Amino acid sequence: MADTINLFLINAPAGSGKTTYIKTLIRKFSISSPNDNILCITYTNRAAIELSKDIMSSHLFIGTIHSFLHNFIKQYFAHKEVIELYFSKYGGLIEERILNLNNKDQVTESNNKYKEKYGDLSFDIVKKNIKVLYYNETPYNSLYYGGLSHDDLIEFSKCMLDKFPIIKRRLKSKYQAIFIDEYQDTTSSVLNFFALCNQTKVLIFPVYPEEN
């Protein structure tokens, strides 16, 4: 598939047969290129379950952007260079939270808990204690502990790809076809994430099943 388009964005209103159409495309890819890996990113876990019904292939990953990124990126979360990148990106926020100049009660409570656990709180102590990053599966970062929120898992993963070409090359070589379902509900950073990693010509287009 070196000379074919391998990024597809599927757009259609609810009830138009979009899920069935995506499944049909996936099956066609699987039959025509049985050794190619296919990635299908959905907006919710429920959509991922629906798309996965009746499709069995070891070359296919169907899931949300967060489940995919966590599975793909987490092997690098203990690397020294990646942790240094974390502090480069979030170090300013960590220092602001430690200072807590606005005397926010919630931050004060968080800081006191950290002091109780580790004896003191400073930027150097936080940096020393974070040995591995993780996805905390919430809307909020756990800055003192290396926990990435929903949004920051995406943003930080993109930073990693920009900083470390080897990760980008791995993603580019891993998947030969990428489907992004419900892209109208997907942030531009997610679309750019896959567009920048795509190894062949990229074409973004709406597809309406009822017209095909």
Side-chain angles (χ1 to χ4, degrees):
M1 296 181 63
D3 296 321
T4 60
I5 298 165
N6 69 348
L7 178 62
F8 295 85
L9 288 92
I10 310 301
N11 179 31
S16 61
K18 174 167 56 66
T19 300
T20 300
Y21 184 75
I22 294 173
K23 285 185 175 182
T24 299
L25 287 179
I26 290 174
R27 289 192 179 98
K28 285 182 178 179
F29 269 90
S30 298
I31 293 172
S32 62
S33 304
N35 295 320
D36 283 352
N37 292 316
I38 302 171
L39 173 62
C40 183
I41 296 298
T42 64
Y43 192 61
T44 64
N45 288 320
R46 181 178 180 181
I49 292 172
E50 182 62 29
L51 277 169
S52 299
K53 288 180 180 178
D54 305 320
I55 298 182
M56 299 292 292
S57 173
S58 60
H59 294 282
L60 172 65
F61 178 93
I62 299 177
T64 64
I65 179 63
H66 296 96
S67 64
F68 166 72
L69 285 178
H70 185 231
N71 286 325
F72 188 83
I73 297 290
K74 66 181 179 181
Q75 65 176 287
Y76 303 103
F77 278 174
H79 288 210
K80 179 181 178 181
E81 295 83 358
V82 172
I83 294 176
E84 288 176 351
L85 179 64
Y86 173 84
F87 281 101
S88 175
K89 182 171 178 60
Y90 300 108
L93 293 176
I94 291 173
E95 290 180 326
E96 286 180 15
R97 189 173 180 86
I98 291 172
L99 292 173
N100 191 21
L101 296 178
N102 294 325
N103 294 315
K104 294 182 178 179
D105 292 339
Q106 185 178 4
V107 176
T108 299
E109 182 181 355
S110 175
N111 289 351
N112 288 336
K113 285 182 177 179
Y114 194 93
K115 291 176 183 178
E116 290 175 6
K117 183 174 182 178
Y118 294 105
D120 202 355
L121 172 61
S122 69
F123 183 83
D124 288 338
I125 291 174
V126 171
K127 193 170 185 179
K128 179 181 178 181
N129 286 334
I130 293 180
K131 306 296 184 182
V132 60
L133 307 180
Y134 66 96
Y135 169 41
N136 65 16
E137 301 186 45
T138 74
Y140 307 102
N141 280 336
S142 300
L143 290 173
Y144 294 166
Y145 303 93
L148 297 167
S149 69
H150 297 321
D151 290 341
D152 281 290
L153 176 66
I154 296 172
E155 293 297 331
F156 189 70
S157 295
K158 187 175 181 299
C159 288
M160 288 174 62
L161 264 69
D162 292 338
K163 179 72 173 180
F164 308 112
I166 189 173
I167 303 177
K168 184 181 292 186
R169 289 196 296 269
R170 177 175 167 240
L171 180 57
K172 288 170 66 175
S173 63
K174 175 70 174 178
Y175 296 100
Q176 288 69 54
I178 301 174
F179 294 85
I180 302 178
D181 185 23
E182 302 288 3
Y183 78 90
Q184 71 277 7
D185 294 322
T186 305
T187 63
S188 59
S189 59
V190 173
L191 301 181
N192 289 333
F193 182 92
F194 290 108
L196 290 173
C197 292
N198 198 260
Q199 62 181 340
T200 61
K201 182 180 178 182
V202 176
L203 178 62
I204 298 176
F205 62 100
V207 176
Y208 295 90
E210 67 270 23
E211 296 178 1
N212 289 273

